[in-house]
Amino acid sequence: MYWDKTHETMPRPALEALQLERLRETLRAAQNSPFYKERLQQAGVTPEGLGSPGDARAIPFTTKEDLRTQGLGLLSRPLEDMVRLHASSGTTGQATVIYYTREDIATWAELLARSMYMTGMRASDVFQNMMGYGLFTGGLGFHYGAERLGALTIPAGAGNSRRQVQLMQQFSTTALHIIPSYALYLLVTFESMGVDPQDLPLRLAFIGAEPHTEDVRCRIEEAYGLKAFNSYGLSELNGPGVAFECPEQNGMHVWEDHFLLEVINPRTLEPAAPGEVGEVVLTNLSRRGMPVLRYRTRDLAALLPETCPCGRTHRRLSRIQGRTDDMLILKGVNIFPMQIERVLMAMPEVGANYLVELTRENFNDLMTVKVEVQQEFFQEDLKYLKSLQKKITNALKSELLVTPLVELVEPQTLPRSEGKALRIADHREK
Ligand code: ADP
Ligand code: ZN
């Protein structure tokens, strides 16, 4: 049931003692990097001065901008000790680059093996990794983790939908790693090939890399006939394997023996109350080549206050609600794209894809939500479609407090992505 029982179920006091020890070690390593040496000195923080993991609050935050501008100044070991680099997807601007030592790669693989084992994956599983290999951490990160666990690993990579289905058939794939929006999109390919995913031996899917709602998980589980687990990570902190859902499927355990977790109010920078949504802040506790301290992830989530019935003592994060920087402001109202998805994906008439377009006319912001309708409903008469349009508009209005224009479109007509979905097109001049 546990991959690493000692660490996964460690009583909190022992876990916190381990965190303190590793935090001190991390600071010692960080002092070798020109960037952190200066930062820590200025803040007057020393490894020995820390009395508890909470004392990490004296360390200044690290931002994405720091990572973009500091480059090699963040390394705490010579470049020749590094064996790999990865870069973030660059969803919100220039990508950041992360360097790993051999030891860091091994630790990362261990965390992913632990995560997948937790969901029930075993060495007898056949694991198809449908994430981009290359600079993106999703591909190689999971690949090494699955091999570490001992599963037969198919390095399928992203895209090439027909081939993905053929691989599943040929090798009797049982576990998938897939971007949730792509999992919905792939159903169209299954249909056109006359293959029912339910007839395949698929039983587990790891879905992550982008925000998604509970309804999207349910749709994936139902269509494929498997259990889908939320997987969270970011390249700045290794990549995937930072937090993962257990069999309870209720929040993601953050591996606190490897990451120091904080959730802060992004305005006041003070800790958020348990259960309150705030910005996730993470500190590497075991990365040696390029430890990152108090990284402001910009990801929004809440810390779940209850302990988990699965027996793991590591605290859980709620589903990621979005990023602080993907909040839309429309007519003075703050809107998160996930609010729109929550409304749409709860409606059975809505298909797999939608797109939010923002335009400006006569100094007035307009939001148009283009929604793919399920084929069976799209065939209905115009009167039906008009009433559906109205139903969606009203549902969005009551969630968002502004009234969007809703356009219903045919299935498979909106632009698709084989990587992270692009849901927002902002055509307003900045
Ligand atoms: P980029 O920030 O350029 O997209 P990464 O490829 O490192 O870089 O992706 C990490 C980001 O992806 C996270 O900070 C988060 O915003 C998003 N993400 C990853 N996993 C999840 C998940 N399970 N749920 C929601 N968002 C996720
Ligand atoms: Zn649990």
Side-chain angles (χ1 to χ4, degrees):
M1 184 182 173
Y2 303 106
W3 173 261
D4 178 352
K5 186 159 191 252
T6 312
H7 286 105
E8 291 175 52
T9 62
M10 201 171 242
R12 291 299 303 183
L15 184 55
E16 278 158 30
L18 179 65
Q19 285 189 315
L20 178 61
E21 184 191 319
R22 289 187 170 176
L23 182 63
R24 285 182 174 151
E25 258 175 72
T26 303
L27 286 199
R28 271 179 222 119
Q31 283 173 329
N32 294 324
S33 87
F35 171 73
Y36 279 122
K37 184 173 183 206
E38 200 187 317
R39 274 278 170 103
L40 292 171
Q41 234 162 30
Q42 275 171 0
V45 180
T46 59
E48 298 69 34
L50 298 173
S52 75
D55 291 347
R57 285 183 60 196
I59 304 169
F61 292 111
T62 304
T63 63
K64 203 167 186 97
E65 203 46 39
D66 291 329
L67 294 195
R68 280 183 185 141
T69 52
Q70 294 302 316
L72 297 177
L74 282 152
L75 298 194
S76 57
R77 295 254 181 98
L79 191 57
E80 67 185 48
D81 285 0
M82 306 297 160
V83 299
R84 199 192 300 165
L85 66 77
H86 278 287
S88 71
S89 319
T91 309
T92 57
Q94 197 196 324
T96 51
V97 182
I98 304 298
Y99 297 82
Y100 308 73
T101 63
R102 192 183 307 281
E103 193 188 349
D104 294 338
I105 297 282
T107 311
W108 184 21
E110 177 69 14
L111 284 175
L112 277 159
R114 183 199 281 187
S115 301
M116 289 185 275
Y117 193 90
M118 169 168 72
T119 69
M121 185 155 111
R122 296 292 178 267
S124 51
D125 275 292
V126 179
F127 172 70
Q128 187 163 327
N129 193 11
M130 303 167 68
M131 289 275 172
Y133 278 66
L135 289 173
F136 176 55
T137 51
L140 284 168
F142 264 83
H143 183 102
Y144 275 59
E147 285 188 354
R148 175 104 184 87
L149 192 152
L152 174 62
T153 304
I154 311 174
N160 209 342
S161 302
R162 293 181 73 84
R163 179 111 179 95
Q164 297 285 3
V165 175
Q166 285 160 357
L167 290 172
M168 288 179 208
Q169 292 179 301
Q170 184 177 355
F171 300 113
S172 301
T173 303
T174 58
L176 302 175
H177 179 210
I178 188 166
I179 293 189
S181 56
Y182 185 68
L184 294 181
Y185 166 38
L186 192 66
L187 291 171
V188 176
T189 307
F190 271 102
E191 204 177 317
S192 72
M193 292 171 74
V195 180
D196 184 351
Q198 303 264 3
D199 295 338
L200 301 176
L202 296 169
R203 60 184 206 95
L204 300 169
F206 311 120
I207 55 174
E210 65 181 14
H212 55 283
T213 56
E214 188 61 33
D215 280 304
V216 165
R217 184 229 299 272
C218 292
R219 282 176 182 223
I220 294 170
E221 291 192 329
E222 272 170 32
Y224 287 83
L226 46 67
K227 284 265 169 227
F229 297 88
N230 197 354
S231 147
Y232 170 73
L234 58 166
S235 44
E236 290 83 352
L237 275 302
N238 285 355
V242 173
F244 222 90
E245 267 180 347
C246 70
E248 298 290 323
Q249 291 186 303
N250 179 19
M252 303 177 285
H253 288 282
V254 175
W255 296 127
E256 291 185 274
D257 51 341
H258 293 268
F259 304 97
L260 191 69
L261 167 69
E262 297 167 73
V263 178
I264 62 165
N265 177 320
R267 273 187 308 277
T268 63
L269 307 183
E270 290 299 314
E276 191 185 314
V277 174
E279 181 177 349
V280 178
V281 172
L282 292 163
T283 299
N284 283 119
L285 292 177
S286 57
R287 194 161 69 187
R288 290 294 162 254
M290 182 180 166
V292 173
L293 310 179
R294 298 197 85 207
Y295 182 66
R296 291 191 60 179
T297 64
R298 308 188 194 179
D299 291 324
L300 294 166
L303 241 173
L304 303 183
E306 308 84 21
T307 54
C308 188
C310 78
R312 289 175 184 83
T313 49
H314 301 238
R315 289 176 301 169
R316 285 168 301 161
L317 278 182
S318 70
R319 206 169 264 296
I320 307 289
Q321 318 276 323
R323 307 195 192 205
T324 50
D325 45 7
D326 68 12
M327 186 177 76
L328 306 169
I329 303 180
L330 198 83
K331 297 180 175 144
V333 179
N334 298 345
I335 297 172
F336 283 102
M338 271 307 106
Q339 290 179 279
I340 301 175
E341 176 159 321
R342 252 198 312 275
V343 169
L344 296 179
M345 290 296 154
M347 298 182 146
E349 302 91 340
V350 172
N353 207 356
Y354 65 93
L355 180 70
V356 180
E357 283 184 343
L358 300 169
T359 48
R360 183 166 291 158
E361 266 173 42
N362 303 327
F363 305 101
N364 206 355
D365 287 341
L366 293 180
M367 176 164 75
T368 308
V369 183
K370 296 187 169 171
V371 182
E372 286 187 4
V373 177
Q374 299 274 20
Q375 192 66 50
E376 53 188 297
F377 296 101
F378 202 77
Q379 284 154 352
E380 297 279 339
D381 62 10
L382 200 62
K383 202 167 133 217
Y384 172 82
L385 289 175
K386 277 260 176 247
S387 77
L388 177 59
Q389 185 186 32
K390 195 151 181 207
K391 180 172 149 191
I392 297 175
T393 309
N394 286 340
L396 285 171
K397 185 179 166 192
S398 69
E399 166 75 30
L400 308 176
L401 309 176
V402 294
T403 312
L405 299 170
V406 172
E407 260 181 47
L408 303 183
V409 302
E410 258 189 273
Q412 301 160 53
T413 51
L414 292 174
R416 306 270 172 184
S417 161
E418 284 167 354
K420 302 186 186 215
L422 294 170
R423 306 292 203 191
I424 310 289
D426 196 344
H427 304 300
R428 297 176 296 182
E429 277 166 28
K430 288 278 149 66

